[in-house]
Amino acid sequence: MSSSTAVPGQRPIAETAPQSLCALEPRVPADRLVAEMVPPPRFDSVRFDTYVPDPNQPSQTEAVGVLSSFAAGLGGAHATGSGGSRGGPPGKWLRATGGLFGKKQPAPTGPRGVYLDGGYGVGKTHLLASLWHATPADPSLKAFGTFVELTNLVGALGFQQTVQTLSGHRLLCIDEFELDDPGDTVLVSSLLSRLVEAGVALAATSNTLPGKLGEGRFAAVDFLREIQGLSSHFRPLRIDGEDYRHRGLPEAPPPYSTDQVTRAAYATAGASLDDFPALLDHLARVHPSRYGALTDGISAVCLTDVGPVPDQSTALRLVVLADRLYDREVPVLASGLPFDRLFSDEMLNGGYRKKYFRAISRLTALARDAKGLVAQ
């Protein structure tokens, strides 16, 4: 039987050492990429009625009503006249024959897509996940993923197979549509054009383009311009508001000492313990599509010697890891600098600043979640 060492005033240190993310190099098969296109664990239980609109922002209440109606409108047959199937392009037979028993199927009316336009932390992902949950279709006929996850899927399956795989879906939700990579934007826009032709309804949120002023607040014009021919399929839905993670919440806890973080890692079942600079180096050797798998089975991430991120490539990888940790509600306990000093002023004033502010906001929230891991 394993034993532990009791230290006065501290939680006992377990005999078994914590895991190290730097020791993990997960391999993710393509079929898992498809099966995992559902709202992340943090958003398993969100619904429209669990979204709490800011009473000072009427656009938030309006958004809930519009999206609820949009979801209800997706409850009938697939827009092409088919109930949808994952095995191939839906509605092909019905389109050719004019519908079941020769009856022409009614064409869908109105936009088949919605675009949630708002700053970070106003609850866009909560609403997008609520739309996924509210749409009356089998989970296998609904897909939810970030823009990066969608491009990774195309890379794993190939363009045509991705079209075939998703064409039978009732709804595709894309969170954090990336507008800062023209090549990927064109790729995904082409994919969405094919899916719209197949009758798939779309919903999206997006990031701002590089160099945009206004602190990355609203991007509807940019989004609709970049997707070009698809713009007529989207109804922009503006959502005003402050970052809810700072709305009435206490300030982020200051970093802990290296000794406190180490003790907490040993005392917490399933925790990982890594030196922050070493973890940043390891992320360069793991494809971002695997960062979610990197955190499988991890109950808490403990980091020592947190310091400034040295360059933009490293910073963007850290953003992806922060997103995956936030999605999975994995608390982060750290020593060193506070998370609001991770990125340089140049980064925070540059084209990717919205991503960096989102990462700071999410890591701060996870740091709050980790307070209970440290013995008082």
Side-chain angles (χ1 to χ4, degrees), residues 154-210:
V154 175
L157 300 182
F159 184 84
Q160 294 299 335
Q161 183 61 40
T162 303
V163 170
Q164 184 176 10
T165 299
L166 297 179
S167 285
H169 283 61
R170 193 74 53 82
L171 172 70
L172 171 61
C173 296
I174 308 169
D175 200 19
E176 299 163 12
F177 199 109
E178 300 282 3
L179 296 175
D180 42 39
D181 188 319
D184 282 346
T185 299
V186 170
L187 172 68
V188 174
S189 294
S190 299
L191 172 65
L192 297 186
S193 294
R194 295 285 296 275
L195 296 180
V196 166
E197 291 174 1
V200 181
L202 306 174
T205 70
S206 80
N207 293 321
T208 51
L209 286 166

Side-chain angles (χ1 to χ4, degrees), residues 48-61:
F48 288 129
D49 59 7
T50 65
Y51 180 81
V52 182
D54 185 334
N56 297 316
Q57 304 291 349
S59 62
Q60 295 184 7
T61 300

Side-chain angles (χ1 to χ4, degrees), residues 227-240:
I227 62 174
Q228 298 177 7
L230 277 173
S231 61
S232 62
H233 295 285
F234 282 90
R235 171 182 176 175
L237 194 59
R238 178 164 170 162
I239 306 170
D240 297 284

Side-chain angles (χ1 to χ4, degrees), residues 255 276 303 306 332-334 337-343 360 363-364 367:
F276 185 69
L303 301 172
V306 169
V332 179
L333 192 70
L337 289 181
F339 288 130
D340 60 2
R341 294 172 62 185
L342 282 173
F343 307 110
I360 291 170
L363 289 171
T364 297

